[in-house]
Amino acid sequence: MLRSVIRSMRPYQWYKNLVIFLCIIFSNNLLNLEMWLYLIMVFFVFCMLAGSQYMLNDIKDIEKDRLHSKKRYRPIAAGILPARTALLISFTIMTLSLVIAFAMGRLVGVVSLMYVVNSIAYSLYFKNYAIVDAIFIAVGFVIRAIAGCVTINITVSPWLILCVFLLALVLAFGKRRHELEEGQNSRDSLAQYTIAMSETLLNSSVSMLLMSYALYTISIHTTMMLTLPFVFYGTFRYVQLINLKGIGEEVELLLKDKPFVLNVALWIFLTVLILYGGSF
């Protein structure tokens, strides 16, 4: 039972919550250990909230998942974890996580609740409509980033919001493009997309993301423009891998791509060096 619950919570996708930590890097608080402790707690809360939402989504899509070549092996779709039991566990985890969030601060709790409302609205209704589905996914990422900001009580940067939103759109449209190429019909919204349409939306999102990050580097620190080649390569590498290896549906496979991982490591190193060079 425990193993089935953990599988249903999809811990391999919790990397999405790492955007919570962006605020501490770009607010020049990287060396503040107390802030790190609070952010780690919020990261844990959002991992639990995300897991509970994955379970709710699997309960809602149980019939469709049983017809999917891969999703039919998920514990709920396979009947290993009964839907009623999964529903009870999901709401229990969600409630306890929200209690912890509100205990950390009213704003933290409110933002966490916003994430839950956004996720439930997406799963129950908005995931069925093209473009709107991607926007709701992007908003979920933005809420995560805002959660990090309110946790350590720093001003929410409009650049952070914009870049996170556009990055999420890139990932969402990349996933839709892959699903269309695979001929999947597991989502109602896919009937409202075409491959050409998803390609256009993906390319547009990539262009806006790179332009926004470039403008951000100019506004914060001109030396940060040195990081542009790494951001451009990482984004284009993602698009390349979508076309060559079809990773759109499983973005976590990027973490197994050595050139991509090395590029991210170099970007982090250079960013920290530029922002904190005088602090070490």
Side-chain angles (χ1 to χ4, degrees), residues 52 85-99:
S52 68
T85 302
L87 184 62
L88 176 61
I89 294 174
S90 175
F91 274 105
T92 300
I93 294 173
M94 188 193 314
T95 302
L96 290 176
S97 299
L98 287 174
V99 168

Side-chain angles (χ1 to χ4, degrees), residues 130-144:
I131 301 177
V132 176
D133 60 342
I135 291 176
F136 265 78
I137 291 173
V139 169
F141 276 84
V142 168
I143 293 175
R144 290 175 172 103

Side-chain angles (χ1 to χ4, degrees), residues 7-59:
R7 282 184 58 199
S8 297
M9 293 179 70
R10 305 212 261 286
Y12 60 88
Q13 291 195 13
W14 290 352
Y15 65 87
K16 298 174 182 178
N17 296 314
L18 290 175
V19 296
I20 288 173
F21 296 103
L22 289 177
C23 59
I24 197 171
I25 297 175
F26 292 100
S27 65
N28 294 319
N29 288 296
L30 185 64
L31 303 179
N32 191 317
L33 295 181
E34 184 178 1
M35 287 185 176
W36 274 105
L37 291 176
Y38 282 116
L39 286 178
I40 290 173
M41 291 178 63
V42 170
F43 175 77
F44 172 77
V45 167
F46 269 77
C47 285
M48 294 301 101
L49 288 176
S52 68
Q53 298 310 304
Y54 288 137
M55 293 180 72
L56 286 178
N57 188 68
D58 285 354
I59 294 170

Side-chain angles (χ1 to χ4, degrees), residues 119-163:
S119 298
I120 292 178
Y122 168 78
S123 296
L124 295 182
Y125 186 72
F126 292 102
K127 66 183 294 183
N128 299 318
Y129 297 93
I131 301 177
V132 176
D133 60 342
I135 291 176
F136 265 78
I137 291 173
V139 169
F141 276 84
V142 168
I143 293 175
R144 290 175 172 103
I146 293 176
C149 294
V150 300
T151 298
I152 59 177
N153 194 29
I154 65 170
T155 302
V156 179
S157 168
W159 289 111
L160 174 66
I161 300 303
L162 181 59
C163 289

Side-chain angles (χ1 to χ4, degrees), residues 101-113 150:
F102 274 99
M104 293 183 65
R106 183 176 62 85
L107 279 179
V108 178
V110 170
V111 174
S112 300
L113 182 59
V150 300

